Amino acid sequence: MINTESSLFGVRFIGSGSAVPDRVLTNNDLAQMVDTTDEWIASRTGIRERHIADGAGDSVANLAAQAGQKAIAAAGLAPQDIDLIILSTSTSDDLFGTAGRVQKILGAEHAVAFDLVAACSGFVFGLVTASQYIQTGAYKNVLLIGADVLSRWVDWQDRRTCILFGDGAGALVVQASNPSHPQNNLLGFEMRSDGRGNDLLNINYLGRSTFESITMNGQEVYRFAVRRVPEVIEKSLHKANLEVHDLDWLIMHQANQRIIDAVVNRFGIDPAKAVSNMGKYGNTSAASIPIALDEWVQAGKIQADHLIAIAGFGAGLSWGSAVFRWG
Ligand code: COA
């Protein structure tokens, strides 16, 4: 539970942005590459197309910086106002980290920047991390970015995995509330990991500066998500003294429509509250939640004080949820 009484600073969520590569790869395009069909992919996953990085311009750093720039502008800030940049990514342009490149592109010269690796849970873990720095009073304006270019690590001849993933970036500005008007909009969170499931989803180091392509046990990952994700959503709501029916929006990691449907059914909530845009983007890993958040904000669906639960899950295994009010 977040101890708001001992926190000097509350947390606010004040601006979002997103960016995806221009190139679109449809299910029918994939059917020219591997033995699959639009019908198979759409009915098993809900995915119809995805954006795929095309050349150096679509690096993680560039996509992340584009999303970050929009989020900073939406928050009414300048890059020089940012104190901390957290880049959640598992597909870094550089094993030493990509956050420094993002800082340079943005011209966020007063920030400290680092990468956070937690696969498809990266945005949730990043949001909690950003909030901790704010609540201790260490930083005031934090730019959190989820960005991934998994297309680099997909085996384009493996129909079990290549149909799932897309590329993109989403960003969120998290800000300390004014101490004279304390307002804490992060209401609860729960983060989990279980290394016993680590071999279910990997991009392993092979030696001699080489990594393998994505390997995944799809059925086990599916079972894990459907069982574990509702638990952390309930736990984070419980910490906030709220119930699932209080939510305005549930933004889950956009991996598979059937996983979202299963969670919606289990909770008995209105399916219209469960944000879904994977049909257009596929699974963009750490970027999927902030891209969906930004789309709903841009469309005017998410409004000030709306109650939102986000939930991420993926390799590690890792999973987590956070409940917050927008604005
Ligand atoms: N097109 C056509 N057939 C395909 C296919 C494709 N793209 N991919 C797999 N198949 C085939 C399999 O070869 C298998 O055929 P077989 O029965 O002759 O062996 C059959 O379809 C069923 O495969 P299975 O793996 O059992 O399918 P599934 O119903 O579990 O669906 C996933 C596969 C990947 C869509 C599903 O398991 C899933 O979404 N899992 C979660 C993955 C995930 O979200 N990962 C990211 C987490 S962050």
Side-chain angles (χ1 to χ4, degrees):
M1 175 113 47
I2 297 156
N3 186 345
T4 44
E5 279 164 24
S6 70
S7 297
L8 283 175
F9 297 92
V11 182
R12 300 187 56 214
F13 304 91
I14 60 167
S16 65
S18 60
V20 292
D22 290 335
R23 185 179 158 215
V24 173
L25 187 73
T26 66
N27 289 351
N28 284 327
D29 295 333
L30 277 167
Q32 311 288 314
M33 298 159 61
V34 290
D35 182 13
T36 192
T37 61
D38 173 48
E39 200 281 327
W40 194 96
I41 301 170
S43 63
R44 300 274 177 135
T45 69
I47 299 166
R48 297 228 167 243
E49 58 187 37
R50 68 287 289 143
H51 292 251
I52 298 291
D54 198 6
D58 291 331
S59 63
V60 171
N62 283 342
L63 290 167
Q66 284 168 35
Q69 211 158 30
K70 292 180 193 168
I72 292 169
L77 298 176
Q80 293 77 12
D81 298 323
I82 301 298
D83 308 307
L84 169 65
I85 298 170
I86 300 175
L87 174 63
S88 295
T89 184
S90 303
T91 54
S92 190
D93 295 334
D94 175 348
L95 276 185
F96 287 142
T98 301
R101 296 184 187 186
V102 175
Q103 176 187 14
K104 182 177 162 192
I105 298 168
L106 289 173
E109 58 211 37
H110 303 307
V112 58
F114 63 82
D115 291 37
L116 184 155
V117 184
C120 302
S121 306
F123 188 77
V124 175
F125 286 18
L127 185 140
V128 173
T129 304
S131 301
Q132 304 311 298
Y133 281 109
I134 286 175
Q135 291 187 309
T136 58
Y139 298 115
K140 186 166 174 248
N141 292 315
V142 182
L143 176 64
L144 168 64
I145 309 172
D148 271 304
V149 178
L150 270 171
S151 65
R152 287 178 183 164
W153 300 102
V154 162
D155 175 353
W156 289 101
Q157 294 177 343
D158 177 6
R159 67 177 183 173
R160 293 166 303 155
T161 52
C162 75
I163 57 160
L164 297 174
F165 300 102
D167 302 331
L172 177 64
V173 172
V174 189
Q175 186 175 63
S177 69
N178 184 334
S180 56
H181 300 96
Q183 174 185 357
N184 187 22
N185 282 350
L186 177 64
L187 305 174
F189 65 83
E190 178 78 12
M191 294 158 63
R192 303 293 301 272
S193 55
D194 185 351
R196 290 172 297 182
N198 185 262
D199 59 0
L200 295 178
L201 186 48
N202 308 92
I203 306 175
N204 283 312
Y205 178 60
L206 290 176
R208 291 180 177 267
S209 310
T210 321
F211 287 79
E212 68 178 353
S213 299
I214 292 177
T215 59
M216 180 183 71
N217 182 328
Q219 290 190 2
E220 284 301 320
V221 171
Y222 185 93
R223 268 196 280 272
F224 143 72
V226 167
R227 200 158 52 112
R228 293 296 188 187
V229 172
E231 289 173 5
V232 285
I233 296 170
E234 274 171 341
K235 283 211 155 111
S236 54
L237 282 164
H238 180 73
K239 288 173 178 176
N241 268 327
L242 293 165
E243 292 184 5
V244 74
H245 294 282
D246 295 321
L247 288 173
D248 292 296
W249 303 105
L250 172 62
I251 311 180
M252 286 174 55
H253 171 45
Q254 305 286 302
N256 185 317
Q257 186 61 43
R258 289 191 296 149
I259 295 175
I260 293 183
D261 292 345
V263 174
V264 164
N265 282 342
R266 165 150 171 194
F267 285 150
I269 58 171
D270 177 358
K273 288 184 173 181
V275 171
S276 171
N277 67 359
M278 77 190 69
K280 291 185 292 180
Y281 301 108
N283 177 345
T284 56
S285 194
S288 88
I289 291 172
I291 290 175
L293 173 75
D294 185 48
E295 187 175 334
W296 257 243
V297 169
Q298 296 300 329
K301 297 178 189 170
I302 290 179
Q303 293 176 4
D305 289 330
H306 273 185
L307 187 66
I308 302 168
I310 59 172
F313 57 91
L317 294 171
S318 61
W319 65 109
S321 172
V323 174
F324 59 91
R325 287 198 187 279
W326 184 245

